[in-house]
Amino acid sequence: MTGVSLLWALRSPCNLGCRYCYFGTIEDHRDAPPQQPGVLSHLSRGDLTLTDISAFADSLPGSRVERIFIAGGEPLIWPPVMDLVAAIKAAGVQVVLCTNGIPLNRPHIVDRILATNVDAVSVSLDSTDALYNDTWRPARNGLHGHSDILDGIRALLKARGQQAAPRVGIYTVITRLNIDAVTTVAELADDLGCDYFVPQPIALDSGHPLHGELSLTPVDAPAVRAALDQLHTRPAPQVPAPTYTGKVIEAISDTKPRVAHACFGGTDLFFIQPDGSVWDCPSSLKIAATPPVAHRSIRGTTATELFGHAGCRADCRLFSRDCVNMWPLMDFGTFLPPVRPQP
Ligand SMILES: C[S@@+](CC[C@H](N)C(=O)[O-])C[C@H]1O[C@@H](n2cnc3c(N)ncnc32)[C@H](O)[C@@H]1O
Ligand code: SF4
């Protein structure tokens, strides 16, 4: 791979309040807003302005950036998001939207996804069981949930029809309580007509109040391996490469960080948080290990300045469940049509 992928947590606000979310909960942060670099919060106190975001997007043409995963927070509840997507696509960069799926019930969002030729839409859904999903991924308004997510996926697939884009997939957070979702949500994704399915192990630090209840442990490794192996016996939907199984098992088998040889983080993949900070990857371990002199932002600079030079992949001694979810992102080329040449 010669191009760069960006995982861009575009904006902090969200219409759901998932209890395990990387962004924490608004309730906790109201009393104690996080101050440390790299710590995310739905409170969105430091989110970049539209002007700064647009200036960075305008700098993409001719840069090494080839694919941007737009996540958040919930990107599709930010009104200017589809104008930004149009600017990124006009720069010749592929776009994968990562959404909780509820906004897909708004016809104008689906229309714009098709009109801007978004390459893929990844929808988060944790179970075939509505109660399970909505317990861990509750809507802030207490109204929306599992059935709306399925309706959103169906609406997008129906509008797409036989067109090649966008590819549509489901992402499922795997915890101690829903290992069976590796296979049952894959079946659901197939029934719905989705193109891909990605199970991702939950990442919670050891001090998180849900760590004991949800985090996968070495005891869970055989069941997780069996479930992931079973995925590869299915003809559809597309799933991460078999090597991902090994990475997941490695990540959950030991609480100590391990070595990722020749890691793509900081060479082929970067993480951008809503305040514009740029990190080698979203791992809290990696961010904490980044010296202040290496702190960077997309604010007031260009994509070429930030990502202009093809670096050399280095071994990273911080591989953990914090970053294993990056491996499927690096596989995305296999889910998508060939990359268009850069202008
Ligand atoms: C932070 S969300 C942002 C995009 C969008 N709001 C969504 O939920 O898809 C990106 C992905 O991270 C997953 N996620 C959130 N917190 C997580 C955690 N603690 N461990 C593993 N995955 C997590 C979500 O389920 C989702 O698939
Ligand atoms: S929908 Fe996404 S960003 Fe929102 S709380 Fe859930 S995981 Fe976090």
Side-chain angles (χ1 to χ4, degrees):
M1 171 155 177
T2 54
V4 163
S5 291
L6 303 179
L7 172 58
W8 190 353
L10 182 65
R11 303 281 299 172
S12 299
C14 190
N15 51 327
L16 300 193
C18 303
R19 295 175 59 196
Y20 53 66
C21 182
Y22 295 125
F23 279 69
T25 66
I26 288 189
E27 292 70 23
D28 288 345
H29 290 168
R30 266 205 197 105
D31 297 337
Q35 310 288 348
Q36 311 92 302
V39 179
L40 302 163
S41 170
H42 287 304
L43 285 179
S44 67
R45 295 210 165 118
D47 283 17
L48 286 187
T49 62
L50 175 59
T51 307
D52 286 332
I53 288 172
S54 301
F56 174 70
D58 290 344
S59 79
L60 287 167
S63 75
R64 291 180 59 241
V65 178
E66 81 175 8
R67 184 172 303 130
I68 302 183
F69 297 86
I70 298 184
E74 175 48 49
L76 295 182
I77 60 169
W78 189 48
V81 69
M82 293 312 299
D83 292 337
L84 174 71
V85 168
I88 296 172
K89 288 290 298 177
V93 175
Q94 291 191 338
V95 170
V96 180
L97 287 171
C98 309
T99 174
N100 61 43
I102 308 278
L104 298 174
N105 289 289
R106 296 192 207 143
H108 76 276
I109 296 270
V110 168
D111 289 349
R112 292 232 42 209
I113 288 173
L114 291 169
T116 47
N117 209 19
V118 165
D119 297 276
V121 179
S122 299
V123 182
S124 297
L125 182 81
D126 284 359
S127 181
T128 54
D129 174 15
L131 181 62
Y132 179 94
N133 186 78
D134 298 348
T135 297
W136 298 104
R137 300 183 60 85
R140 296 193 63 76
N141 67 5
L143 297 174
H144 294 131
H146 196 264
S147 60
D148 303 288
I149 301 164
L150 295 186
D151 286 348
I153 294 171
R154 288 192 188 101
L156 181 58
L157 285 167
K158 185 169 178 215
R160 178 188 76 174
Q162 297 310 310
Q163 297 176 48
R167 301 298 171 108
V168 180
I170 294 182
Y171 261 70
T172 297
V173 175
I174 303 301
T175 75
R176 296 205 81 184
L177 306 181
N178 73 336
I179 296 173
D180 63 314
V182 173
T183 41
T184 57
V185 180
E187 278 162 25
L188 174 64
D190 193 13
D191 291 346
L192 288 166
C194 291
D195 305 294
Y196 60 92
F197 168 64
V198 179
Q200 47 181 356
I202 194 161
L204 295 174
D205 69 47
S206 55
H208 194 286
L210 296 171
H211 174 67
E213 192 176 357
L214 298 186
S215 293
L216 294 159
T217 71
V219 171
D220 303 309
V224 173
R225 182 188 285 283
L228 291 172
D229 284 348
Q230 210 184 320
L231 277 188
H232 293 104
T233 63
R234 302 183 58 87
Q238 196 143 349
V239 294
T243 47
Y244 176 59
T245 302
K247 300 304 288 184
V248 170
I249 298 304
E250 197 182 337
I252 67 174
S253 291
D254 198 313
T255 49
K256 276 185 276 175
R258 306 239 181 146
V259 181
H261 295 286
C263 185
F264 40 75
T267 306
D268 302 326
L269 174 85
F270 294 86
F271 172 59
I272 304 173
Q273 69 178 76
D275 70 2
S277 300
V278 178
W279 307 104
D280 288 355
C281 79
S283 158
S284 58
L285 300 171
K286 185 80 175 175
I287 290 173
T290 307
V293 67
H295 289 190
R296 301 187 297 166
S297 170
I298 61 168
R299 189 160 181 255
T301 186
T302 67
T304 298
E305 281 174 77
L306 285 167
F307 314 116
H309 306 290
C312 191
R313 289 182 173 202
D315 291 349
C316 177
R317 302 194 166 275
L318 298 173
F319 171 75
S320 72
R321 61 185 77 204
D322 239 18
C323 61
V324 69
N325 299 332
M326 296 305 103
W327 265 258
L329 295 190
M330 300 311 290
D331 261 359
F332 247 77
T334 61
F335 292 137
L336 299 175
V339 177
R340 281 170 28 201
Q342 300 263 324

